Amino acid sequence: MSEKKFNPAKLAKLNHPDRYDRENPERIWKTLKLDNPRVIVDIGTGTGFFAIPFSRHMPEGTVYACDIADEILQWLEENLPEELRDRIIPVKMEERAVPLPAGIADLVLMVNLHHELEDAAAILSEAFRLLKPGGKVAIVDWKDEPTESGPPLEIRVSEQSLIDQLAAACFEQIRAHASLPCHHFLEAVKPQH
Ligand SMILES: C[S@@+](CC[C@H](N)C(=O)[O-])C[C@H]1O[C@@H](n2cnc3c(N)ncnc32)[C@H](O)[C@@H]1O
């Protein structure tokens, strides 16, 4: 396992209650102002800390919960709430590719993933491919400044770098939200044309 990658043995950390103050899924959902989304692709889903509450907002929708780690996906399979089992679909993906068809997603979500990526350009290109025209990508990742917890500073990504990467992947309407204390939070749109 690369040193950058989340250690699945620590997956309980992903469900730590402090996260509701720092990176609250409901706050992020509200900020994104999605228009009746039907399909979300959550890349690097972990324990579904976002996939689960986002799915509850979409009673008729589907969340594809994608991850590279078998242990993580197995945990998710075993712990998904019963009532969400047919709405959250765990998907095993590769480092640079998501095995889902193009143009299906209203939102591609990537939380605390960017600093772990071997090839961010490839994953942003996948996000672009997966989105419907007019669909959104959202990136939330640790600020590149000291915080009480989080990954080593050396592997964190600056907000400007995230903006540049989104622009290079052909996303438009790039917006940075300053609403989270320890995280960058960006959204961008796949153009209609
Ligand atoms: C720090 S965890 C964050 C999990 C979740 N997004 C959250 O915020 O609770 C990062 C996750 O991304 C996964 N991951 C790392 N590189 C990946 C890649 N290239 N594609 C998909 N998942 C990846 C790891 O296995 C891990 O589950």
Side-chain angles (χ1 to χ4, degrees):
M1 188 172 60
S2 146
E3 300 231 324
K4 293 208 281 191
K5 295 294 180 198
F6 180 76
N7 179 354
K10 298 185 176 165
L11 59 75
K13 275 175 83 172
L14 296 178
N15 294 330
H16 198 285
D18 281 357
R19 297 192 72 195
Y20 291 101
D21 293 328
R22 234 175 20 218
E23 41 193 315
N24 186 302
E26 292 307 323
R27 197 181 309 155
I28 290 171
W29 173 268
K30 279 195 193 116
T31 304
L32 288 172
K33 295 192 174 64
L34 301 170
D35 182 15
N36 191 22
R38 293 303 170 116
V39 174
I40 291 179
V41 177
D42 181 17
I43 300 183
T45 194
T47 53
F49 188 80
F50 287 83
I52 291 168
F54 278 27
S55 171
R56 292 196 199 283
H57 282 286
M58 303 162 55
E60 294 178 10
T62 301
V63 179
Y64 292 101
C66 309
D67 210 286
I68 49 165
D70 291 322
E71 301 94 309
I72 294 271
L73 288 168
Q74 189 183 336
W75 187 94
L76 193 61
E77 292 270 8
E78 288 166 6
N79 290 279
L80 272 180
E82 204 50 48
E83 72 281 10
L84 300 180
R85 282 190 178 275
D86 55 350
R87 307 204 321 244
I88 298 181
I89 316 290
V91 175
K92 164 81 178 181
M93 63 175 284
E94 303 303 323
E95 179 62 42
R96 292 168 175 77
V98 183
L100 291 172
I104 59 166
D106 298 287
L107 173 72
V108 172
L109 180 68
M110 306 198 288
V111 183
N112 292 346
L113 170 73
H114 228 82
H115 64 273
E116 294 191 17
L117 293 175
E118 301 294 342
D119 186 349
I123 289 297
L124 286 174
S125 157
E126 278 294 77
F128 193 88
R129 182 184 70 79
L130 290 162
L131 283 168
K132 298 173 186 168
K136 278 184 186 176
V137 62
I139 299 177
V140 176
D141 202 3
W142 290 92
K143 288 182 182 170
D144 52 330
E145 59 191 49
T147 47
E148 258 179 35
S149 50
L153 265 180
E154 315 81 77
I155 62 170
R156 300 191 193 191
V157 185
S158 71
E159 185 175 88
Q160 190 55 52
S161 168
L162 293 173
I163 291 170
D164 293 346
Q165 290 177 24
L166 284 164
C170 298
F171 284 101
E172 294 182 353
Q173 299 177 54
I174 300 168
R175 287 181 66 189
H177 299 285
S179 49
L180 303 177
C182 303
H183 289 75
H184 306 305
F185 175 12
L186 288 113
E187 65 169 77
V189 174
K190 176 174 174 170
Q192 296 279 359
H193 45 84

